[in-house]
DNA sequence: GTGCCATACTGGTATAGACAACTGGACCCC
DNA sequence: GGGGTCCAGTTGTCTATACCAGTATGGCAC
């Protein structure tokens, strides 16, 4: 039984560890929507933490929409939001699999660099802060599909650039090893002509139409955790989305 | 000088009072985006509250997007969100207005034709059923932006092809005169090269990258009411969307 | 039964203090 | 100049405690 650990070097804050445990329990179905959590005082005792620390974890989770509280009654697991219509937030791997294609990835480069003006703006960092830049070529059933340049704040995922499994789903890594769960993203799409760099990687002629997808992914706390620029081959990729009428329009 | 008050019956919590004061200061322009707030300890002293109370106010405001914090540096006023009102199901007219552009429309042709294979499939009609086909060139602030080909089942909007106001918002007409309210839509986007037809209308070179947006709009009863193919100039148009994570993924 | 109240739970607010982690600038050494 | 170290100031984490406020329950008086 993984107990909340203290004192170890490089350990995560106690409230973060508690948040992780509760996330896990919900994800694994040990806690279902509507279920009541142990009371704050009971959690304190069980994990040997103070009430304020416990409350910080719970308050965060309430803000993130995982839980809700009722004064005098208790803390409960919230129902998943009804985000009807919108397509799910998925990475390349899941996207390709859902289209019946086999995703593969070539890691072209990974390094820690200071954030450029643009990257800093998207990730809401100060210019020059350290970010991990990961460039990957993504294949679908053996064919080049997408050239992807991904930026993450280094402090959110320290040591990411040294990992050996960067050819898999980045979101899986972030979730499993860094406790970062993507919750929402803002995307823009535009049509651009392939420059030499992209054309070469994607094996098309320069000037060919590409779909440029830019995404800022946010985690449960609303912090920007990733900024991606992906160049998709225009002849192979089609983006889909559902739109819903907003109220009051 | 409105001081934070304590002890009065029915008073608001101290952290709530502090939150309101900061909101006011931002709204009245005493604090502008990017400005640094007094440090937490200074706020404590100034308002005679404890640091945890002060932090609760600031944390709330961070969650609400009014402020952001940087460890070791300070707390700052955030920039207002720019991403409001981009989403939602809107037509070209609303879309352009929300971007600060002036929409104009040239009706290139309107006629009643039998549904082709493809159109019938999208609109869920039998092949050969009568549909209204409307081709329009849409301008934004005087510049060609989008070539749009729109199909509707004739029986949903009889006489539409005879109307004189087809250069306005189609959705307004459908809503006002035919009782058709769009509720949701499925869209696909891809990057294509401009053929001669599109290039000429949009005043770009053939082969230029265009964003091809295809939309099937559905009404309140779930019936497909419209199928549109729009070719947007790649250099002028950028599509935006929000993605939300589905539960259980 | 009906109504009320005491009680024992829940989360909500608030305090004072400690130490850790991080930033940026001053300062010194080479 | 370049490269350190040190320091003051900032937010981040955490403790221990106290009392307030809302909710459910059960028992008592009527």
């Amino acid at each position: 039984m993984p107990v909340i650990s203290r004192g170890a070097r490089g350990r995560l804050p106690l409230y973060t560890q508690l948040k992780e445990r509760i996330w896990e329990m919900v994800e694994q179905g040990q806690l279902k929507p509507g279920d009541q959590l142990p009371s704050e005082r009971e959690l304190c005792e069980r994990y040997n933490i103070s009430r304020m620390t416990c409350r910080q974890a719970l308050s965060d989770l309430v803000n993130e929409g995982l839980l809700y509280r009722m004064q005098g009654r208790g803390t409960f697991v919230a129902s998943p939001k009804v985000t009807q219509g919108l397509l799910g937030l998925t990475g390349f791997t899941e996207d390709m699999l859902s289209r019946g294609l086999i995703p593969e990835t070539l890691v072209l480069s990974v390094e820690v660099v200071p954030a450029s003006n643009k990257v800093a703006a998207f990730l809401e960092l100060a210019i020059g802060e350290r970010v991990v830049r990961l460039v990957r070529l993504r294949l679908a059933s053996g064919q080049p599909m997408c050239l992807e340049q991904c930026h993450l704040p280094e402090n959110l995922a320290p040591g990411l650039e040294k990992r050996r499994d960067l050819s898999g789903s980045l979101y899986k890594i972030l979730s499993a090893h860094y406790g970062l769960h993507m919750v929402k993203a803002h995307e823009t799409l535009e049509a651009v002509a392939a420059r030499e760099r992209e054309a070469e990687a994607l094996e098309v002629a320069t000037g060919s139409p590409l779909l440029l997808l830019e995404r800022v992914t946010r985690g449960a706390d609303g912090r920007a955790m990733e900024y991606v620029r992906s160049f998709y081959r225009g002849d192979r990729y089609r983006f889909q989305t559902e739109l819903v009428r907003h109220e009051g329009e």
Side-chain angles (χ1 to χ4, degrees), chain A:
Chain A
M1 196 65 174
V3 177
I4 284 184
S5 71
R6 45 210 317 149
R9 264 177 312 136
R11 86 187 200 295
L12 291 169
L14 299 181
Y15 76 90
T16 304
Q17 295 181 55
L18 178 54
K19 280 174 65 177
E20 278 304 305
R21 288 196 36 100
I22 295 175
W23 262 106
E24 276 169 26
M25 286 195 280
V26 173
E27 273 178 351
Q28 293 170 9
Q30 297 169 40
L31 284 172
K32 296 189 187 1
D35 283 359
Q36 181 165 10
L37 268 74
S39 76
E40 296 178 351
R41 290 174 175 85
E42 190 174 335
L43 286 172
C44 302
E45 207 171 318
R46 183 178 306 180
Y47 295 111
N48 193 29
I49 56 180
S50 82
R51 179 145 175 253
M52 289 302 278
T53 303
C54 172
R55 273 184 71 77
Q56 178 161 8
L58 296 184
S59 298
D60 278 10
L61 293 174
V62 167
N63 273 318
E64 292 165 14
L66 187 71
L67 308 177
Y68 62 94
R69 294 199 265 217
M70 299 177 78
Q71 179 170 162
R73 301 215 19 221
T75 306
F76 307 84
V77 178
S79 300
K81 278 181 192 160
V82 261
T83 57
Q84 23 165 327
L86 294 178
L87 290 188
L89 175 53
T90 59
F92 181 85
T93 308
E94 300 90 327
D95 192 13
M96 289 305 119
L97 288 173
S98 76
R99 291 163 194 250
L101 301 170
I102 301 162
E104 287 174 272
T105 301
L106 294 178
V107 177
L108 301 186
S109 75
V110 52
E111 51 192 334
V112 178
V113 298
S116 69
N117 215 311
K118 185 171 178 180
V119 170
F122 277 113
L123 289 178
E124 293 160 6
L125 302 173
I127 295 172
E129 268 194 77
R130 292 160 65 83
V131 296
V132 180
R133 183 173 64 195
L134 173 62
V135 182
R136 303 191 289 185
L137 179 67
R138 316 213 67 165
L139 313 174
S141 299
Q143 302 293 316
M145 173 64 92
C146 159
L147 180 63
E148 175 192 281
Q149 194 176 30
C150 172
H151 293 84
L152 302 94
E154 194 204 15
N155 59 19
L156 280 188
L160 180 71
E161 72 280 5
K162 299 192 194 69
R163 298 190 65 89
R164 296 287 170 188
D165 54 359
L166 290 177
S167 60
S169 166
L170 187 56
Y171 296 131
K172 277 224 177 74
I173 297 173
L174 292 175
S175 170
H177 299 287
Y178 297 98
L180 298 171
H181 308 279
M182 61 178 182
V183 164
K184 58 180 179 175
H186 182 78
E187 294 193 345
T188 67
L189 293 104
E190 59 188 306
V192 299
R195 293 170 299 180
E196 204 163 327
R197 197 188 331 177
E198 293 103 34
E200 202 169 321
L202 293 171
E203 298 175 13
V204 296
T206 59
S208 303
L210 301 179
L211 191 66
L212 169 55
L213 186 155
E214 292 186 283
R215 164 191 280 190
V216 175
T217 309
R218 290 175 187 279
D221 55 1
R223 286 179 63 185
M225 57 188 254
E226 180 204 40
Y227 164 58
V228 197
R229 278 168 69 87
S230 300
F231 292 90
Y232 283 86
R233 280 183 60 153
D235 56 345
R236 293 215 175 120
Y237 188 74
R238 177 179 290 200
F239 180 85
Q240 309 193 43
T241 188
E242 294 280 335
L243 300 182
V244 227
R245 187 87 173 140
H246 280 183
E247 292 304 318
E249 282 176 323

